[in-house]
Each structure stands twice: as structure tokens, then as C-alpha cells.
């Protein structure tokens, strides 16, 4: 993907997200601080702050568990062994208070909302009893008509998938 195409897809996805009912209705949003291969979340985080939404980012814990902590412009971050920036301070938030979780991954199925993550199962464990909206943003290269990977019983399906190319929400 060229730098220009990546920028255009990032912008299209950010526009789709902020126009979505899930975003508009959410006051408390959980999102990762993106790596270079993912959709850029920095503009999304900044849009949330401008809209007076509270932002929470994940911290990895032992036994492949996640905890989400508040994220502000002054939050102290540390790069983990996975190369991801995580908060080192702040209180863990109860997942029931999160309205929307933007779920990261490497590939997504348009047919059923299946995703292939980064292999640790962290999000599947966290989302197993989560009742809010599970949404992801996908570059067109990451969205497939059908899952080309095995879907395990422990895999948690997404509620919504926004893809840069199609400008819409397919309901998964």
C-alpha cells in the first residue's frame, strides 16, 4: 500500500467512524494506540477528545489478560515487549462502563465479523462477556468476503466492520 493510499484509507475510515451511530452514541471509547501496520488511531483519539468522549487504552496483563485504563494527553506510556505503547499509570476501568471498543486485528470477514488477531487471544478473552459495541476499522486489504482462517469457539465476532473501500457498515 502506498503512503498516499494508506493516508486516504485512514481518512475514509476516520470519517466513517465519526459518522457512525456507534460513535455518536458512545461516551466511553476503548482503542489501542496503533502500530505502523494498523489503521492510525491517533486522529481517532484526538477526535474523541474534541467531542468530549473519554478514551481508554489497553494494558496487557499476565495470563493473556487485558485491562483498559484512561488515556489523556498526559498519560505516561511505556513500550511493551510486543512493541505496543501502553499506560503505566491509572485505574483499570470496568468493561461494563465502556460503550464502544475498537478491536484491532490483521484480517476481518465481512460475512460474519470474524477476525484474525495477533495470536495472543487477549481481545477474545476480554470481549467474551462484553456487552457493548465491538467495532473495527479495516483497510480494504484486510477485509475478506469470508474468513480464510479457522474460527475457534473462543473467537469473539465483531458487531460492526467499517472498511475503507465501501464507505459503509455491513452490520457485522
Amino acid at each position: 500500500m502506498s503512503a498516499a493510499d494508506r493516508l486516504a484509507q485512514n481518512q475514509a475510515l476516520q470519517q466513517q467512524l465519526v459518522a457512525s451511530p456507534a460513535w455518536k452514541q458512545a461516551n466511553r471509547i476503548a482503542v489501542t494506540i496503533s502500530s505502523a501496520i494498523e489503521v492510525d488511531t491517533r486522529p481517532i483519539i484526538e477526535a474523541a477528545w474534541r467531542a468530549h468522549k473519554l478514551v481508554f487504552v489497553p494494558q496487557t496483563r499476565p495470563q493473556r489478560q487485558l485491562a483498559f485504563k484512561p488515556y489523556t494527553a498526559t498519560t505516561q506510556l511505556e513500550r511493551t515487549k510486543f512493541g505496543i505503547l501502553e499506560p503505566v499509570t491509572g485505574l483499570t476501568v470496568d468493561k461494563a462502563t465502556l460503550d464502544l471498543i475498537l478491536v484491532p486485528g490483521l484480517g476481518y470477514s465481512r460475512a460474519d465479523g470474524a477476525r484474525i488477531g495477533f495470536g495472543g487471544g487477549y481481545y477474545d478473552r476480554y470481549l467474551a462477556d462484553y456487552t457493548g459495541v465491538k467495532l473495527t476499522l479495516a483497510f480494504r486489504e484486510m477485509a475478506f468476503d469470508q474468513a480464510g482462517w479457522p474460527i475457534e469457539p473462543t473467537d469473539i465476532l465483531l458487531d460492526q466492520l467499517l472498511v475503507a473501500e465501501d464507505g459503509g457498515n455491513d452490520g457485522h
Side-chain angles (χ1 to χ4, degrees):
M1 179 183 333
S2 71
D5 188 35
R6 176 179 284 277
L7 178 61
Q9 287 194 56
N10 268 306
Q11 290 173 337
L13 287 165
Q14 292 154 13
Q15 290 168 358
Q16 284 182 55
L17 177 62
V18 299
S20 73
W23 174 271
K24 290 178 181 177
Q25 294 166 9
N27 292 313
R28 299 167 64 89
I29 298 169
V31 61
T32 61
I33 297 173
S34 57
S35 68
I37 63 169
E38 297 173 291
V39 171
D40 187 3
T41 59
R42 179 67 54 192
I44 293 165
I45 291 167
E46 291 170 357
W49 290 340
R50 283 192 305 275
H52 306 289
K53 296 176 186 291
L54 298 176
V55 175
F56 301 87
V57 295
Q59 178 188 57
T60 53
R61 298 271 178 92
Q63 284 83 47
R64 297 184 180 201
Q65 300 295 313
L66 283 181
F68 281 84
K69 297 187 170 200
Y71 181 56
T72 68
T74 60
T75 299
Q76 183 181 352
L77 300 172
E78 185 175 273
R79 195 165 300 278
T80 69
K81 64 181 179 180
F82 303 112
I84 299 167
L85 288 173
E86 295 185 352
V88 293
T89 58
L91 298 175
T92 298
V93 65
D94 181 342
K95 76 177 81 174
T97 68
L98 297 173
D99 302 315
L100 172 63
I101 296 179
L102 300 181
V103 185
L106 297 171
Y108 308 95
S109 165
R110 296 173 192 264
D112 54 15
R115 65 180 266 281
I116 187 162
F118 294 91
Y122 287 86
Y123 272 85
D124 290 319
R125 285 179 187 82
Y126 190 82
L127 297 172
D129 61 351
Y130 175 67
T131 58
V133 178
K134 302 173 295 292
L135 183 147
T136 201
L137 306 171
F139 292 128
R140 65 178 163 262
E141 294 82 358
M142 300 166 89
F144 303 91
D145 291 335
Q146 301 285 330
W149 56 90
I151 300 172
E152 304 296 331
T154 54
D155 289 345
I156 304 300
L157 302 180
L158 300 165
D159 298 316
Q160 297 176 332
L161 170 62
L162 300 180
V163 181
E165 68 182 353
D166 62 18
N169 176 343
D170 72 1
H172 287 282

